[in-house]
Amino acid sequence: AGYNVTMTAQTLQLEFGDDGSEAATTGEARLILDVGFGSGEETATTAEMFPSCRFLGVEVHKPGLASLLKRIRRKNLTNVRVVRSDVITLLADRMKGRVFDEVWVLFPDPWSSFNKRRLIRPYFLTLLSQRLNSGGVLRVASDVKEYIEHVEAVMDPLLQGPAASNDADGEKGLWVAMADEFRDADTALPTYRGATHYEQRALMQNGSIWERAYCWTSTQDGQ
């Protein structure tokens, strides 16, 4: 779908058709941003597994967009929306306010020779601190151990204490590692979501999976 207006939590609620239903009002209808979903296999599978959750998939490549749209139609999914955009542009220029309950970065390009092009970097995390609701979660998974080490190196300084989100409201928050949800050299498929194409391929080739999860919590009220 194309979105030519600034997206907010309210406009996305309307897009998903939220009508005050129990799932929407009790917090069960979590909104998840699935970044760079590739062929969309994982997105469609997870949306089918958890129909009360809402998924916004962002991807720049047309073949991936077309693939996910076909899966949505084939499975008759009503809880997935798709936008063609670079995720940095989406978060920085096409959104306003706090929108997401979770952001998933699953098997991103590791850019092994060009570290500066990696998505997980301080500016991206600043944007997430502006777009995640308090208690929102960032999940990163990769079959490249060195990429997860890079994620930890970027996140570790942010785990030391509250930092300004640089948002218009000046709200401050704290990143917390969710160590009980970390995966290290795992060879099993995940249970909380579908598996991506790259994930399945890595496991078929006797590879392993690493995953990290971090929670952003507002400290505005002195938490």
Side-chain angles (χ1 to χ4, degrees):
Y3 295 92
N4 297 317
V5 298
T6 299
M7 282 179 269
T8 65
Q10 289 72 29
T11 60
L12 282 171
Q13 284 175 357
L14 292 173
E15 174 65 30
F16 279 95
D18 287 354
D19 55 3
S21 64
E22 183 178 356
T25 57
T26 60
E28 293 179 10
R30 294 175 65 78
L31 179 55
I32 298 166
L33 178 65
D34 199 350
V35 179
F37 53 75
S39 68
E41 180 177 359
E42 169 272 322
T43 309
T45 300
T46 309
E48 191 173 31
M49 291 167 60
F50 301 102
S52 66
C53 291
R54 300 163 297 165
F55 297 84
L56 180 65
V58 56
E59 177 62 70
V60 296
H61 300 295
K62 286 185 178 180
L65 292 162
S67 175
L68 178 53
L69 289 172
K70 288 179 182 178
R71 296 175 192 275
I72 291 172
R73 286 194 293 269
R74 186 166 62 245
K75 294 176 178 288
N76 195 29
L77 299 173
T78 61
N79 59 334
V80 184
R81 299 293 184 273
V82 178
V83 60
R84 187 185 184 196
S85 177
D86 169 82
V87 68
I88 296 294
T89 301
L90 178 71
L91 295 174
D93 302 330
R94 302 174 66 182
M95 287 191 159
K96 182 178 180 180
R98 304 194 178 280
V99 178
F100 299 108
D101 298 298
E102 298 198 22
V103 174
W104 295 359
V105 182
L106 306 178
F107 300 85
D109 191 324
W111 290 108
S112 299
S113 301
F114 301 96
N115 290 4
K116 291 183 179 179
R117 299 194 66 175
R118 289 173 167 172
L119 178 60
I120 304 300
R121 56 186 187 270
Y123 179 58
F124 178 63
L125 295 170
T126 295
L127 291 175
L128 291 190
S129 73
Q130 298 170 8
R131 301 292 172 251
L132 279 170
N133 294 315
S134 183
V137 177
L138 166 65
R139 299 184 186 276
V140 186
S142 179
D143 60 328
V144 180
K145 182 181 179 181
E146 193 269 334
Y147 190 88
I148 295 300
E149 291 172 346
H150 162 81
V151 171
E152 291 180 328
V154 174
M155 291 298 305
D156 281 352
L158 303 178
L159 304 178
Q160 304 306 313
S165 70
N166 298 321
D167 205 352
D169 59 12
E171 186 173 356
K172 295 183 179 181
L174 175 68
W175 284 103
V176 178
M178 302 171 66
D180 58 335
E181 298 191 27
F182 285 10
R183 297 169 65 199
D184 288 295
D186 199 345
T187 57
L189 290 172
T191 57
Y192 77 91
R193 59 171 173 81
T196 73
H197 169 75
Y198 291 105
E199 188 169 18
Q200 294 178 62
R201 186 175 67 179
L203 294 176
M204 287 178 62
Q205 296 175 348
N206 297 318
S208 300
I209 307 303
W210 285 262
E211 190 159 349
R212 294 293 180 266
Y214 301 92
C215 178
W216 189 89
T217 303
S218 171
T219 56
Q220 191 74 8
D221 298 323
Q223 298 177 17

